[in-house]
Amino acid sequence: KAEDGYYEQSVTHRPASANKVSLLDIAREQVDIISEKMYLLPNEYLEELKGRLRGMLEGNGGPQQRDELLFLQRLVQTRSDLTANTLIKAHRVQLEILVAINSGIQFFLHHSMNLSQTCLIEVFVYKRCRNIACQSQLPAEDCHCEICTNRKGFCSLCMCVICNKFDFEVNTCRWIGCDSCAHWTHTDCAIRDKQIGTGPSSVNGLGSAEMQFRCRACNRTSELFGWVKDVFQQCAPTWNGESLIRELTVVSKIFRLSENTRGRQLFWKSEELIEKLKGGVAETTACRIILTFLQELEMDSSRSSEAGNKERMIPPQEACNRIAAVVQEAVQTMGVVADEKLRMLKKARQALETCDHELEEKAKEVSELKLERQRKRLQIDELESIARLKEAEADMFQLKADEARREADRLQRIALAKSGKSEEDYASSYLKQRLSEAEAEKQFLFEKIKLQDQSSRSSQGNDIGDSSQELYSKIQEILKSV
């Protein structure tokens, strides 16, 4: 668990934001959730994701990057929800990344890869060959042998029975095809796995040991001298010098341990021509030499076979009976083969019609998905334009609010200044008015006191004194209040 946690952190490289996805998210999250997110992502980001995975598949990042890729493959290959029904909902780039992680082939991330989404799904669920040059339905040619049924994604038409790998090599001795079951094996894999060795020959009738290939799929043997001769006769004229050296080297490896005469001679001739080609002999000359040599060996073998047959002559009647039996068996075999071919033809036609029907349906689905994607893109563009308009309006209202706030502060300062001045003016005018009123009242009271003094000097002194005292106190209170 600690190791997985370490690789989980290293795979992400940088944390994905809420609206973006990483390779780790694609490898472990639900298909529909990641698909919805990827439809909203720009193409530049999706290409960056594919480029990051291409770097892992190329293996230029060292052991750490290789371990990260293995961690992603383990996540993808252990998920039970990645089926054909769920992968239909996947985004195109999401599906390409899942197929590339599962198969380990970076071509599925290349911009020139034009496989349909249905084909990618079939490659992921092991219903179609992952070899772009083959693309056969699996199991190939309805082969139900143990290897084709037990190995996920194995294609008997282009993959090696031993290493389970394929390449784009054709017209070469580096691939050996079984004469019985048509399965293929790398020559180097067969030599390394000891599937090539000596065995009794059934060709020349002499029982001499020939180099033979034993197929791991059907456990039957195929003779190698005739196979090498056929490959050279059909393909050698198109090889250049480098290719001819490479093919002769393969022939030398095959017949190095040969025990019979023609196998040893072919080994010696291969070594001799390799040295001549390295020394500057033209490839046309070398090609002519090896083809002539193979023809001579075949003729020598035929003469030896005829000599051996003459030594053990059989009666004419027995020979006729044998020939009749062989012809009858051949006729029966041809009838069975014809029936089988007719059945295969009918089946192929039915499969073709089914594929055409599925192709039409998938084309309709693709057009609908494109329309839906275009509609969502238009909605996104409309929402983005509305968001930009709202942002512009918000900026304008913010500017006006700032201006109104500054104007309010200025008016408030002016109002405070005017309010203070008006209060001072009001207080001054009020005090002046009260002062004048107090002066007038004072004058009035003094006049009244004088009149009372003059008119009441003859009256009782006590009463007048009290009245005068009261008037004087009132005048003092008025003056204090002013």
Side-chain angles (χ1 to χ4, degrees):
K1 292 183 179 178
E3 183 178 343
D4 288 349
Y6 167 74
Y7 291 134
E8 178 177 347
Q9 294 179 0
S10 60
V11 166
T12 56
H13 292 293
R14 56 185 181 185
S17 59
N19 59 343
K20 292 186 178 180
V21 296
S22 65
L23 293 175
L24 185 62
D25 294 332
I26 295 175
R28 69 179 179 181
E29 299 297 335
Q30 292 184 7
V31 174
D32 51 351
I33 296 176
I34 298 300
S35 177
E36 291 178 1
K37 290 184 178 181
M38 294 185 73
Y39 274 114
L40 302 178
L41 293 175
N43 293 330
E44 293 78 8
Y45 182 80
L46 299 180
E47 289 298 326
E48 181 183 350
L49 272 180
K50 292 168 66 175
R52 200 177 307 161
L53 182 56
R54 274 197 298 268
M56 290 185 183
L57 293 173
E58 289 173 358
N60 298 329
Q64 180 180 353
Q65 202 171 61
R66 187 164 55 251
D67 293 337
E68 294 171 8
L69 177 61
L70 293 176
F71 174 70
L72 291 175
Q73 287 179 335
R74 187 161 64 250
L75 283 178
V76 171
Q77 293 171 359
T78 54
R79 289 179 59 178
S80 60
D81 62 320
L82 296 180
T83 62
N85 294 330
T86 59
L87 291 175
I88 293 177
K89 305 175 184 178
H91 187 277
R92 170 76 183 193
V93 176
Q94 178 188 11
L95 183 58
E96 291 174 356
I97 290 176
L98 287 173
V99 174
I101 291 175
N102 191 39
S103 64
I105 301 173
Q106 60 174 314
F107 182 79
F108 290 107
L109 304 173
H110 200 270
H111 59 85
S112 64
M113 196 275 300
N114 56 358
L115 290 180
S116 65
Q117 190 154 349
T118 303
C119 291
L120 288 174
I121 293 174
E122 290 177 348
V123 171
F124 186 87
V125 297
Y126 306 115
K127 296 297 183 182
R128 184 179 293 273
C129 179
R130 62 181 179 271
N131 183 359
I132 306 299
C134 178
Q135 285 294 295
S136 301
Q137 291 284 343
L138 299 181
E141 297 184 347
D142 291 334
C143 179
H144 296 287
C145 70
E146 183 178 356
I147 293 178
C148 291
T149 54
N150 293 338
R151 292 188 186 179
K152 291 183 178 180
F154 177 79
C155 177
S156 61
L157 299 180
C158 68
M159 295 182 184
C160 176
V161 175
I162 295 177
C163 69
N164 203 31
K165 296 180 180 179
F166 65 88
D167 52 51
F168 298 98
E169 297 289 343
V170 293
N171 301 330
T172 176
C173 293
R174 281 170 286 176
W175 281 92
I176 303 176
C178 177
D179 296 336
S180 300
C181 65
H183 285 58
W184 292 86
T185 308
H186 284 122
T187 303
D188 290 338
C189 293
I191 294 174
R192 183 180 63 252
D193 210 47
K194 294 182 174 54
Q195 299 298 117
I196 292 179
T198 59
S201 174
S202 61
V203 177
N204 53 24
L206 298 179
S208 60
E210 290 276 5
M211 293 304 297
Q212 294 178 348
F213 162 69
R214 182 175 295 277
C215 179
R216 177 176 286 185
C218 64
N219 206 30
R220 298 178 183 175
T221 57
S222 302
E223 186 265 334
L224 290 176
F225 180 85
W227 167 73
V228 170
K229 180 177 70 70
D230 292 340
V231 172
F232 270 81
Q233 286 179 346
Q234 296 177 16
C235 308
T238 62
W239 292 337
N240 55 23
E242 183 179 353
S243 299
L244 190 55
I245 292 176
R246 190 164 56 246
E247 298 301 323
L248 288 171
T249 303
V250 175
V251 174
S252 175
K253 290 180 181 178
I254 293 174
F255 291 94
R256 185 180 302 274
L257 300 178
S258 179
E259 298 177 358
N260 70 335
T261 304
R262 70 175 183 177
R264 296 301 298 172
Q265 288 178 350
L266 182 55
F267 167 72
W268 292 329
K269 180 59 71 173
S270 300
E271 294 289 327
E272 177 186 345
L273 287 178
I274 291 173
E275 295 299 326
K276 288 183 177 180
L277 285 168
K278 291 181 179 179
V281 173
E283 57 267 19
T284 55
T285 303
C287 178
R288 186 171 62 253
I289 291 172
I290 188 63
L291 291 177
T292 303
F293 180 75
L294 289 170
Q295 190 67 30
E296 292 175 352
L297 286 180
E298 184 70 19
M299 293 174 64
D300 293 341
S301 177
S302 299
R303 285 194 293 267
S304 299
S305 177
E306 291 176 0
N309 290 332
K310 288 179 181 180
E311 292 178 358
R312 50 186 186 88
M313 293 292 291
I314 60 177
Q317 186 63 37
E318 184 179 353
C320 291
N321 293 335
R322 290 186 180 181
I323 293 172
V326 171
V327 171
Q328 185 177 2
E329 183 179 358
V331 170
Q332 292 176 355
T333 304
M334 290 175 64
V336 173
V337 171
D339 294 339
E340 182 67 17
K341 294 296 182 182
L342 183 60
R343 185 186 66 81
M344 292 177 64
L345 179 61
K346 291 181 179 179
K347 187 174 182 180
R349 286 179 179 174
Q350 293 176 357
L352 180 60
E353 292 175 356
T354 304
C355 289
D356 291 338
H357 182 65
E358 290 182 357
L359 184 61
E360 293 177 359
E361 292 181 352
K362 297 304 179 183
K364 292 179 182 179
E365 292 180 3
V366 168
S367 60
E368 292 176 358
L369 289 174
K370 287 183 178 178
L371 291 175
E372 181 68 16
R373 182 179 181 183
Q374 186 177 4
R375 185 178 64 81
K376 288 186 177 181
R377 178 62 64 183
L378 291 175
Q379 291 178 354
I380 293 171
D381 294 339
E382 183 179 356
L383 291 175
E384 289 179 350
S385 62
I386 293 173
R388 288 194 295 268
L389 179 60
K390 295 300 181 182
E391 288 179 359
E393 290 180 355
D395 295 339
M396 181 184 68
F397 285 126
Q398 184 65 38
L399 180 62
K400 289 185 177 181
D402 294 339
E403 292 178 354
R405 190 179 295 108
R406 289 193 295 269
E407 183 67 18
D409 293 341
R410 186 179 67 81
L411 292 175
Q412 187 177 7
R413 288 194 299 270
I414 293 173
L416 290 174
K418 288 185 177 181
S419 176
K421 186 176 180 182
S422 63
E423 288 179 358
E424 290 177 359
D425 294 341
Y426 175 76
S428 177
S429 62
Y430 177 75
L431 291 174
K432 287 180 181 180
Q433 185 178 0
R434 292 295 306 272
L435 183 60
S436 61
E437 290 177 356
E439 289 291 338
E441 190 173 355
K442 178 182 176 182
Q443 187 66 31
F444 172 76
L445 291 175
F446 272 118
E447 291 293 333
K448 188 176 180 180
I449 291 171
K450 286 180 182 182
L451 291 175
Q452 286 180 355
D453 286 342
Q454 290 176 3
S455 62
S456 61
R457 282 179 180 178
S458 59
S459 299
Q460 294 177 358
N462 292 334
D463 294 335
I464 296 173
D466 294 337
S467 302
S468 300
Q469 187 66 30
E470 290 177 1
L471 290 172
Y472 182 76
S473 299
K474 186 176 182 180
I475 292 170
Q476 291 295 329
E477 290 179 357
I478 293 171
L479 291 174
K480 288 180 180 180
S481 64
V482 173

